Amino acid sequence: MSSARGELAALAMDRLVGRTVLPDDLVTAAARAIVAGLDSPTLPELAGLGHDDTTASDLFSQVVAELGIEVPTDAATARWQLLGEALAALARGDVSVNEGATAVWELDRRLDYPDALDEMRRWIAMLDAWIPTDVTPVSFCEDQILQRARELLSGNWPPVTR
């Protein structure tokens, strides 16, 4: 049941931060939640919609409220939260450096390029542009990204920005 609830929470966060969440994603997640044993008054209605039904978004908001799924109150807070999660996954080695860097890059853009991420941004750009004939080994770029992730996580969160 917790994975279905987690999927609904992740979709709620994605919508809040401005990522594209299609009605199909919401309907499918609702159907999985029912199968997993979650229940709310609106959940069956959402699960029964067509996969391109535009009312899915409103019903999904009701489901989130009915299930008491907590999401941050504003998009900026949600973006910083997701950035912290992405940096933590990167630092723990739960994702590859490329995958983690892609997530950080996307959230950095959505946060309007805060000063606190300047150095991380430079290393990610260097990794993205790296070619086998570069003098700097790719492992050095990756190590710098991991080090910056750990440094960011060890300070105040979210970091003081502009």
Side-chain angles (χ1 to χ4, degrees), residues 133-146:
T133 57
D134 280 350
V135 174
T136 304
V138 71
S139 61
F140 185 77
C141 295
E142 293 171 339
D143 290 344
Q144 293 302 308
I145 290 169
L146 291 171

PDB file of all heavy atoms in Angstrom, residues 133-146:
ATOM      1  N   THR A 133      38.818  12.676 -25.466  1.00  0.00           N
ATOM      2  CA  THR A 133      40.136  13.293 -25.656  1.00  0.00           C
ATOM      3  C   THR A 133      40.401  14.445 -24.687  1.00  0.00           C
ATOM      4  O   THR A 133      41.476  15.051 -24.740  1.00  0.00           O
ATOM      5  CB  THR A 133      40.275  13.803 -27.110  1.00  0.00           C
ATOM      6  OG1 THR A 133      39.217  14.724 -27.382  1.00  0.00           O
ATOM      7  CG2 THR A 133      40.251  12.647 -28.087  1.00  0.00           C
ATOM      8  N   ASP A 134      39.458  14.734 -23.788  1.00  0.00           N
ATOM      9  CA  ASP A 134      39.673  15.797 -22.795  1.00  0.00           C
ATOM     10  C   ASP A 134      40.841  15.443 -21.878  1.00  0.00           C
ATOM     11  O   ASP A 134      41.069  14.277 -21.558  1.00  0.00           O
ATOM     12  CB  ASP A 134      38.419  16.000 -21.922  1.00  0.00           C
ATOM     13  CG  ASP A 134      37.360  16.824 -22.612  1.00  0.00           C
ATOM     14  OD1 ASP A 134      37.634  17.406 -23.674  1.00  0.00           O
ATOM     15  OD2 ASP A 134      36.231  16.894 -22.071  1.00  0.00           O
ATOM     16  N   VAL A 135      41.549  16.480 -21.447  1.00  0.00           N
ATOM     17  CA  VAL A 135      42.671  16.298 -20.528  1.00  0.00           C
ATOM     18  C   VAL A 135      42.161  15.883 -19.151  1.00  0.00           C
ATOM     19  O   VAL A 135      42.744  15.029 -18.481  1.00  0.00           O
ATOM     20  CB  VAL A 135      43.509  17.599 -20.438  1.00  0.00           C
ATOM     21  CG1 VAL A 135      44.588  17.481 -19.390  1.00  0.00           C
ATOM     22  CG2 VAL A 135      44.089  17.948 -21.795  1.00  0.00           C
ATOM     23  N   THR A 136      41.059  16.458 -18.725  1.00  0.00           N
ATOM     24  CA  THR A 136      40.481  16.136 -17.423  1.00  0.00           C
ATOM     25  C   THR A 136      39.723  14.813 -17.533  1.00  0.00           C
ATOM     26  O   THR A 136      38.823  14.689 -18.363  1.00  0.00           O
ATOM     27  CB  THR A 136      39.502  17.243 -16.968  1.00  0.00           C
ATOM     28  OG1 THR A 136      40.185  18.492 -16.971  1.00  0.00           O
ATOM     29  CG2 THR A 136      38.937  16.954 -15.600  1.00  0.00           C
ATOM     30  N   PRO A 137      40.062  13.830 -16.710  1.00  0.00           N
ATOM     31  CA  PRO A 137      39.339  12.543 -16.768  1.00  0.00           C
ATOM     32  C   PRO A 137      37.876  12.716 -16.360  1.00  0.00           C
ATOM     33  O   PRO A 137      37.549  13.540 -15.502  1.00  0.00           O
ATOM     34  CB  PRO A 137      40.068  11.662 -15.756  1.00  0.00           C
ATOM     35  CG  PRO A 137      41.271  12.407 -15.312  1.00  0.00           C
ATOM     36  CD  PRO A 137      41.114  13.829 -15.705  1.00  0.00           C
ATOM     37  N   VAL A 138      36.997  11.931 -16.967  1.00  0.00           N
ATOM     38  CA  VAL A 138      35.578  12.005 -16.643  1.00  0.00           C
ATOM     39  C   VAL A 138      35.357  11.690 -15.173  1.00  0.00           C
ATOM     40  O   VAL A 138      34.480  12.276 -14.528  1.00  0.00           O
ATOM     41  CB  VAL A 138      34.739  11.083 -17.564  1.00  0.00           C
ATOM     42  CG1 VAL A 138      34.955   9.616 -17.241  1.00  0.00           C
ATOM     43  CG2 VAL A 138      33.268  11.434 -17.462  1.00  0.00           C
ATOM     44  N   SER A 139      36.163  10.808 -14.609  1.00  0.00           N
ATOM     45  CA  SER A 139      36.011  10.456 -13.194  1.00  0.00           C
ATOM     46  C   SER A 139      36.260  11.664 -12.289  1.00  0.00           C
ATOM     47  O   SER A 139      35.654  11.783 -11.227  1.00  0.00           O
ATOM     48  CB  SER A 139      36.938   9.299 -12.809  1.00  0.00           C
ATOM     49  OG  SER A 139      38.286   9.671 -13.016  1.00  0.00           O
ATOM     50  N   PHE A 140      37.134  12.571 -12.700  1.00  0.00           N
ATOM     51  CA  PHE A 140      37.393  13.773 -11.908  1.00  0.00           C
ATOM     52  C   PHE A 140      36.150  14.661 -11.884  1.00  0.00           C
ATOM     53  O   PHE A 140      35.765  15.185 -10.832  1.00  0.00           O
ATOM     54  CB  PHE A 140      38.598  14.547 -12.464  1.00  0.00           C
ATOM     55  CG  PHE A 140      38.976  15.726 -11.609  1.00  0.00           C
ATOM     56  CD1 PHE A 140      39.677  15.537 -10.427  1.00  0.00           C
ATOM     57  CD2 PHE A 140      38.621  17.010 -11.980  1.00  0.00           C
ATOM     58  CE1 PHE A 140      40.019  16.621  -9.624  1.00  0.00           C
ATOM     59  CE2 PHE A 140      38.954  18.096 -11.195  1.00  0.00           C
ATOM     60  CZ  PHE A 140      39.658  17.901 -10.008  1.00  0.00           C
ATOM     61  N   CYS A 141      35.510  14.824 -13.034  1.00  0.00           N
ATOM     62  CA  CYS A 141      34.258  15.604 -13.094  1.00  0.00           C
ATOM     63  C   CYS A 141      33.194  14.967 -12.203  1.00  0.00           C
ATOM     64  O   CYS A 141      32.507  15.661 -11.447  1.00  0.00           O
ATOM     65  CB  CYS A 141      33.734  15.674 -14.530  1.00  0.00           C
ATOM     66  SG  CYS A 141      34.799  16.558 -15.677  1.00  0.00           S
ATOM     67  N   GLU A 142      33.061  13.653 -12.303  1.00  0.00           N
ATOM     68  CA  GLU A 142      32.067  12.947 -11.494  1.00  0.00           C
ATOM     69  C   GLU A 142      32.358  13.106 -10.006  1.00  0.00           C
ATOM     70  O   GLU A 142      31.441  13.349  -9.217  1.00  0.00           O
ATOM     71  CB  GLU A 142      32.025  11.472 -11.880  1.00  0.00           C
ATOM     72  CG  GLU A 142      31.491  11.236 -13.279  1.00  0.00           C
ATOM     73  CD  GLU A 142      31.648   9.801 -13.747  1.00  0.00           C
ATOM     74  OE1 GLU A 142      32.491   9.059 -13.207  1.00  0.00           O
ATOM     75  OE2 GLU A 142      30.909   9.428 -14.679  1.00  0.00           O
ATOM     76  N   ASP A 143      33.628  12.988  -9.629  1.00  0.00           N
ATOM     77  CA  ASP A 143      34.000  13.154  -8.215  1.00  0.00           C
ATOM     78  C   ASP A 143      33.682  14.556  -7.721  1.00  0.00           C
ATOM     79  O   ASP A 143      33.232  14.734  -6.581  1.00  0.00           O
ATOM     80  CB  ASP A 143      35.486  12.858  -8.010  1.00  0.00           C
ATOM     81  CG  ASP A 143      35.832  11.383  -8.169  1.00  0.00           C
ATOM     82  OD1 ASP A 143      34.905  10.546  -8.132  1.00  0.00           O
ATOM     83  OD2 ASP A 143      37.030  11.078  -8.329  1.00  0.00           O
ATOM     84  N   GLN A 144      33.904  15.551  -8.563  1.00  0.00           N
ATOM     85  CA  GLN A 144      33.606  16.935  -8.171  1.00  0.00           C
ATOM     86  C   GLN A 144      32.101  17.137  -7.974  1.00  0.00           C
ATOM     87  O   GLN A 144      31.674  17.826  -7.038  1.00  0.00           O
ATOM     88  CB  GLN A 144      34.139  17.922  -9.215  1.00  0.00           C
ATOM     89  CG  GLN A 144      35.644  17.960  -9.289  1.00  0.00           C
ATOM     90  CD  GLN A 144      36.269  18.328  -7.951  1.00  0.00           C
ATOM     91  OE1 GLN A 144      35.906  19.325  -7.328  1.00  0.00           O
ATOM     92  NE2 GLN A 144      37.204  17.508  -7.496  1.00  0.00           N
ATOM     93  N   ILE A 145      31.303  16.529  -8.810  1.00  0.00           N
ATOM     94  CA  ILE A 145      29.846  16.624  -8.671  1.00  0.00           C
ATOM     95  C   ILE A 145      29.408  15.966  -7.363  1.00  0.00           C
ATOM     96  O   ILE A 145      28.598  16.530  -6.612  1.00  0.00           O
ATOM     97  CB  ILE A 145      29.136  15.996  -9.896  1.00  0.00           C
ATOM     98  CG1 ILE A 145      29.373  16.890 -11.123  1.00  0.00           C
ATOM     99  CG2 ILE A 145      27.649  15.788  -9.630  1.00  0.00           C
ATOM    100  CD1 ILE A 145      28.968  16.258 -12.438  1.00  0.00           C
ATOM    101  N   LEU A 146      29.950  14.796  -7.071  1.00  0.00           N
ATOM    102  CA  LEU A 146      29.618  14.107  -5.813  1.00  0.00           C
ATOM    103  C   LEU A 146      30.059  14.931  -4.603  1.00  0.00           C
ATOM    104  O   LEU A 146      29.321  15.043  -3.615  1.00  0.00           O
ATOM    105  CB  LEU A 146      30.261  12.728  -5.781  1.00  0.00           C
ATOM    106  CG  LEU A 146      29.687  11.712  -6.770  1.00  0.00           C
ATOM    107  CD1 LEU A 146      30.548  10.456  -6.802  1.00  0.00           C
ATOM    108  CD2 LEU A 146      28.246  11.382  -6.434  1.00  0.00           C
TER     109      LEU A 146
END
